[in-house]
């Protein structure tokens, strides 16, 4: 069992423990690693923690706010979490041991649970910034996400595919979603790049307070980058004042665990995810895009044996 004090050391704990419905001689503990509280990972993680606490006998759960993908994967490798949300390109980089992405060594303990919903690259500027397209970001101030976060890895990749770099910007900020939005509101920042599910709370907040421009990312970027990036669309009406569809790129999110998690707990985490999707959708609309038929699509790491058992039961793995 993971030591609770170790799991919380130096991290912000984002919710109280959820009491297990049944007593057990040796309680299991599931720490769900998410992201910033204004993103999508956090409400979905809180929803999963509640589901697991109610449905898995003898389990205590907690949801932890983190800097998202890169931190989550490193925490899993270190045994300081049982389930984490992460972007597909970050997971692949962790498995390869890509130092530039924040992984000096191969994270060989990572194991897959499921591909879930896609993250959409959402670049949003204040209407009065004069930013109309990607090229006009040049000379402007942009927040690219927390340092070495999954969002920031996405930003680097997209700028490279557009034959641009951070040096083309007037100023670069490395801030989480909510802080980026506050700077735009205060006219201290022109735009923010956020890799998140559609309808992310931070951008909804910004759009409800002032006119915005949702900046297109050309489909050619997905062709240049290749998997796990795909061409996508932010539908009209996703945010207040957004009257047209906006092209962008997306990358799949994954739920990841480690080989230290027992087969039974990994099985139950997978089973309860897919058998309680209606409940999870109430936590955030992004969960409506989770489909067991796509659960293994693009999985960049070995599947946990417990998850594999569930997929075999469901006929996803023959």
């Amino acid at each position: 069992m993971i030591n609770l004090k170790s799991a919380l050391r130096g991290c912000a704990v984002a919710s109280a423990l959820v009491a297990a419905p049944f007593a057990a001689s040796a309680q299991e503990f599931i720490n769900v690693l998410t992201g910033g509280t204004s993103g999508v990972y956090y409400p979905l993680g809180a929803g999963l923690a509640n589901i697991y606490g109610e449905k898995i006998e003898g389990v205590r759960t907690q949801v932890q706010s983190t800097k998202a993908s890169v931190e989550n994967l490193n925490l899993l490798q270190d045994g300081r979490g049982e389930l984490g949300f992460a972007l597909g390109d970050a997971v692949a980089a962790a498995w390869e041991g890509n130092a530039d992405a924040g992984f000096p060594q191969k994270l060989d303990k990572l194991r897959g649970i499921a591909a879930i919903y896609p993250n959409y690259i959402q670049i949003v500027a204040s209407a009065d910034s004069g930013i109309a397209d990607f090229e006009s970001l040049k000379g402007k101030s942009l927040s690219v996400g927390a340092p070495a976060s999954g969002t920031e890895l996405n930003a680097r990749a997209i700028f490279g595919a557009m034959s641009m770099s951070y040096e083309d910007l007037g100023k670069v900020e490395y801030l989480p979603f909510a802080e980026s939005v506050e700077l735009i509101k205060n006219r201290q920042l022109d735009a923010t790049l956020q890799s998140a599910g559609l309808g992310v709370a931070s951008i909804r907040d910004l759009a409800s307070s002032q006119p915005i421009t949702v900046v297109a990312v050309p489909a050619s970027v997905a062709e240049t980058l290749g998997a796990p990036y795909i061409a996508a669309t932010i539908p009209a009406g996703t945010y207040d004042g957004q009257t047209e569809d906006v092209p962008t790129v997306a990358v799949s999110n994954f739920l990841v665990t480690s080989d230290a998690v027992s087969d039974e707990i990994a099985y139950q985490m997978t089973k309860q995810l897919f058998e309680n999707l209606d409940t999870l959708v109430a936590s955030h609309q992004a969960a409506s895009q989770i489909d067991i038929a796509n659960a293994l699509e693009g999985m960049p790491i070995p599947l946990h044996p417990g998850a594999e058992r569930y997929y075999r039961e469901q006929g996803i793995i023959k």
Side-chain angles (χ1 to χ4, degrees):
M1 184 177 72
I2 302 301
N3 181 278
L4 178 58
K5 290 182 179 178
S6 174
L8 302 183
R9 187 179 300 123
C11 299
V13 179
S15 76
L17 297 180
V18 179
F22 303 101
S25 56
Q27 278 193 324
E28 295 276 1
F29 186 71
I30 299 176
N31 185 25
V32 182
L33 306 168
T34 60
T37 56
S38 60
V40 176
Y41 286 176
Y42 180 80
L44 285 183
L48 274 178
N50 287 331
I51 290 167
Y52 292 161
E54 293 173 3
K55 302 291 185 178
I56 306 177
E57 183 175 348
V59 158
R60 292 185 303 152
T61 64
Q62 124 185 339
V63 57
Q64 181 175 321
S65 176
T66 69
K67 294 177 182 177
S69 298
V70 176
E71 182 178 7
N72 292 349
L73 295 168
N74 281 308
L75 287 171
L76 288 168
Q77 177 76 11
D78 292 343
R80 294 197 285 163
E82 285 65 49
L83 187 71
F85 289 75
L87 280 164
D89 55 346
V91 179
W95 189 250
E96 294 165 1
N98 185 328
D100 289 340
F103 309 106
Q105 297 179 334
K106 175 185 174 79
L107 302 192
D108 59 354
K109 297 180 181 179
L110 301 180
R111 297 294 182 268
I113 292 291
I116 43 175
Y117 66 93
N119 256 23
Y120 291 73
I121 307 306
Q122 301 171 75
I123 304 175
V124 178
S126 63
D128 60 9
S129 68
I131 296 170
D133 54 26
F134 201 97
E135 289 285 335
S136 58
L137 287 168
K138 291 180 178 179
K140 303 294 185 178
S141 56
L142 173 71
S143 175
V144 294
S149 63
T151 290
E152 202 265 314
L153 294 182
N154 291 166
R156 274 190 253 169
I158 290 163
F159 268 79
M162 291 292 292
S163 300
M164 290 171 58
S165 72
Y166 292 168
E167 292 181 358
D168 292 308
L169 298 168
K171 184 179 182 181
V172 182
E173 296 282 4
Y174 297 86
L175 296 170
F177 295 173
E179 286 88 337
S180 301
V181 165
E182 288 306 310
L183 286 185
I184 294 175
K185 287 181 180 179
N186 294 330
R187 299 184 179 182
Q188 296 174 292
L189 184 70
D190 294 316
T192 176
L193 183 153
Q194 303 193 1
S195 178
L198 293 176
V200 62
S202 53
I203 299 178
R204 289 204 319 269
D205 174 35
L206 178 62
S208 68
S209 67
Q210 66 181 70
I212 63 168
T213 300
V214 182
V215 181
V217 178
S220 60
V221 169
E223 296 172 9
T224 299
L225 294 174
Y229 290 89
I230 59 172
T233 299
I234 303 171
T238 298
Y239 301 106
D240 289 351
Q242 182 202 342
T243 59
E244 298 180 354
D245 290 352
V246 177
T248 189
V249 296
V251 59
S252 289
N253 284 290
F254 289 84
L255 285 175
V256 181
T257 186
S258 80
D259 62 4
V261 172
S262 72
D263 288 2
E264 179 60 25
I265 289 298
Y267 170 82
Q268 289 293 338
M269 289 194 301
T270 311
K271 174 183 173 72
Q272 301 307 331
L273 163 67
F274 288 108
E275 297 187 3
N276 293 278
L277 283 177
D278 288 348
T279 301
L280 194 58
V281 168
S283 300
H284 197 283
Q285 65 181 19
S288 64
Q289 297 176 281
I290 300 175
D291 186 344
I292 193 171
N294 304 322
L296 303 181
E297 188 172 327
M299 180 68 70
I301 55 176
L303 195 60
H304 194 290
E308 180 179 345
R309 172 184 154 200
Y310 180 73
Y311 293 127
R312 289 191 182 278
E313 288 180 356
Q314 301 303 309
I316 302 301
I317 297 178
K318 305 298 183 184

